[in-house]
Amino acid sequence: QVKLVESGGGSVQAGGSLRLSCSYPTSIDRGWTLAWFRQTPGKQREGVAAIDIGDAITYAESVKGRFTISKDNVKHILYLQMNSLKPEDTALYYCAADLPRPRLHVLDTDHYQYWGQGTQVTVSS
């Protein structure tokens, strides 16, 4: 069973920072792809950042230079450090995981079979 559990969400003012965490089971090793997505009501879930095999990292254009994805392979935790937050970053943030699927982009929701329950991030202006 693959259970992903996010934490670290909250409310901050614009310009502030938050760090999200996602714990994942030991069955997920370095051969898996891990990612962060976000979703606001009425909109499609969008990819934010992903770590692929070989630690290749991909960011959405909207977060480049502000967000940093990383993982601790010993503690089995995926992180998303979010700096210079903007009101438009407000969303429910999800952690996702799956084995690599070369035909799908790592920021495509179809790439992932396993999802966490989400953690809310609210940025006020």
Side-chain angles (χ1 to χ4, degrees):
Q1 184 178 2
V2 177
K3 183 176 181 181
L4 308 174
V5 181
E6 302 97 335
S7 61
S11 297
V12 295
Q13 290 191 325
S17 299
L18 281 175
R19 188 177 77 160
L20 306 183
S21 300
C22 171
S23 63
Y24 55 89
T26 56
S27 56
I28 292 180
D29 60 22
R30 299 184 186 203
W32 284 60
T33 302
L34 298 168
W36 288 98
F37 285 75
R38 64 187 181 186
Q39 188 171 22
T40 54
K43 293 188 177 181
Q44 289 189 333
R45 193 169 297 186
E46 64 169 350
V48 174
I51 294 184
D52 208 347
I53 54 174
D55 290 338
I57 291 176
T58 302
Y59 292 104
E61 286 295 326
S62 60
V63 305
K64 277 184 180 178
R66 300 188 299 122
F67 290 11
T68 302
I69 189 172
S70 62
K71 63 186 173 109
D72 186 321
N73 293 317
V74 175
K75 295 181 179 179
H76 289 85
I77 300 177
L78 177 72
Y79 298 103
L80 184 69
Q81 177 66 44
M82 306 185 294
N83 298 328
S84 302
L85 282 161
K86 304 175 181 179
E88 51 263 44
D89 295 318
T90 295
L92 189 59
Y93 282 72
Y94 296 92
C95 173
D98 212 328
L99 291 167
R101 298 188 181 187
R103 294 186 178 184
L104 294 173
H105 194 277
V106 291
L107 296 184
D108 184 341
T109 55
D110 289 339
H111 188 294
Y112 301 93
Q113 181 179 174
Y114 304 104
W115 295 85
Q117 81 289 349
T119 186
Q120 179 67 37
V121 172
T122 302
V123 185
S124 58
S125 57

